[in-house]
Amino acid sequence: MIIALALVAAVLLGIGFVLQQRAASQMPISDMLRPRLIIDLMHSPQWLCGIGSMVAGQLLSAFVLGRTSVSLVEPLLAANLLVALLLAAAITRRPLRRSDWIGCLVLGGGLSAFIVVGRPTAVNAEASAVRHWLVIAIIAGVAAALVLTSRMRPLGEQATMLAGAAGCLAGLQDGFTRNVMMTVQQDPGSVIRYWQPYAVVGVALTVILLEQSAFKAGTLRQALPAVTVGEPLAGIAFGVVAFGDQLRTEPWAIAVEVLGLAGMVAGVYVLATSDLLSHAVGEPTSEHPAAEGDS
């Protein structure tokens, strides 16, 4: 049941990402990384539908996170890329290529291997404050470095870097969400006294701004894979370090777990090369309509 709900959340997220990118690609380039981008997007019915789908997926994933380990949920949410690819095929009315099917099989195989062999288990044991804040600092530091570096790169590379930063922070957000859900289950009235609920909101708003800026800077093919890879890797790291999520530690199991994660990354990379993820969505527009042909 938990796995089914996580996959439904992935479907909602995949639909949301496609709709958001189609709307964000039409916004002025000067809006990137500015709150103005979100204000302008709020006038787009397509974007609002995309945000609605994404929020529904996030709420469902929050429900799931409150009942199992981050290390189990995160890989399942990576299936949103498969949903985006299928939706792209429907929009363009083009069949999936052989490489697309191979990417689906590699991603699905890696995901299955990690979950079946690793058997991620929630322990709900809070780590020491040092370990907790260390993993937060590392994940946030990687995201900040990607954002700062992106400002010196061409738009296509900016899209990938900003999306990678959004993915890292989304994994961090998932960890905070699990912490909030655990508190709600134990003592609902006390949750407002902790900092995590406010961190969830602040990080979520930052993730939205980074994602929309990435969608503006490049195609879905350039942005979505980085989010898809960044979120589970950051989420699994947070779950293992901060919550003590357990994976099987026999040498052969560790080898399969690593291969499973590598398969997920490889599958995402293969799917990222699909033309469907660029033809199904709007190309980024420049600041002035007259220059569109040059963008």
Side-chain angles (χ1 to χ4, degrees):
M1 183 65 175
I2 290 296
I3 291 178
L5 291 176
L7 290 176
V8 172
V11 170
L12 293 171
L13 290 172
I15 293 172
F17 283 139
V18 172
L19 295 178
Q20 288 173 66
Q21 198 281 335
R22 287 174 65 85
S25 66
Q26 305 305 313
M27 295 296 109
I29 198 71
S30 59
D31 282 358
M32 278 181 57
L33 294 176
R34 300 188 181 197
R36 180 69 191 179
L37 176 60
I38 305 302
I39 296 174
D40 288 344
L41 284 169
M42 289 178 68
H43 294 88
S44 167
Q46 182 172 233
W47 186 81
L48 291 175
C49 288
I51 281 291
S53 181
M54 186 190 75
V55 169
Q58 292 283 9
L59 291 175
L60 187 55
S61 65
F63 174 82
V64 174
L65 283 167
R67 285 156 177 78
T68 188
S69 71
V70 179
S71 301
L72 173 62
V73 176
E74 292 292 9
L76 292 171
L77 294 180
N80 72 74
L81 183 59
L82 302 181
V83 177
L85 187 72
L86 294 174
L87 181 57
I91 291 174
T92 60
R93 297 182 180 179
R94 299 173 62 191
L96 272 66
R97 301 177 305 174
R98 179 181 299 177
S99 60
D100 297 330
W101 287 112
I102 292 174
C104 291
L105 290 174
V106 173
L107 175 56
L111 170 62
S112 300
F114 179 81
I115 292 175
V116 172
V117 175
R119 297 180 187 173
T121 304
V123 177
N124 294 340
E126 283 282 354
S128 66
V130 173
R131 290 179 59 188
H132 196 98
W133 285 106
L134 179 61
V135 70
I136 292 175
I138 291 175
I139 294 173
V142 170
L146 287 170
V147 172
L148 292 175
T149 305
S150 73
R151 301 178 71 86
M152 300 177 287
R153 308 303 302 169
L155 283 181
E157 294 181 26
Q158 282 190 48
T160 301
M161 290 183 175
L162 292 175
C168 289
L169 293 182
L172 198 60
Q173 176 192 338
D174 292 339
F176 291 154
T177 299
R178 177 177 168 189
N179 195 299
V180 171
M181 296 303 293
M182 288 165 54
T183 303
V184 168
Q185 290 174 12
Q186 295 170 3
D187 185 4
S190 69
V191 70
I192 61 174
R193 299 200 301 267
Y194 295 91
W195 59 268
Q196 286 89 346
Y198 310 103
V200 169
V201 175
V203 173
L205 293 175
T206 304
V207 168
I208 290 175
L209 178 59
L210 289 174
E211 285 177 346
Q212 307 316 308
S213 296
F215 292 155
K216 170 62 221 173
T219 64
L220 201 65
R221 181 170 67 176
Q222 293 167 315
L224 186 54
V227 176
T228 304
V229 170
E231 183 172 359
L233 293 182
I236 290 171
F238 192 91
V240 171
V241 176
F243 292 108
D245 285 355
Q246 293 184 349
L247 299 171
R248 295 182 65 176
T249 56
E250 298 94 326
W252 70 269
I254 293 176
V256 175
E257 289 161 14
V258 171
L259 288 175
L261 289 175
M264 287 175 55
V265 174
V268 167
Y269 176 79
V270 172
L271 293 178
T273 65
S274 175
D275 290 337
L276 292 173
L277 291 182
S278 56
H279 291 304
V281 295
E283 293 290 340
T285 58
S286 60
E287 181 69 34
H288 304 289
E292 284 187 13
D294 300 325
S295 60

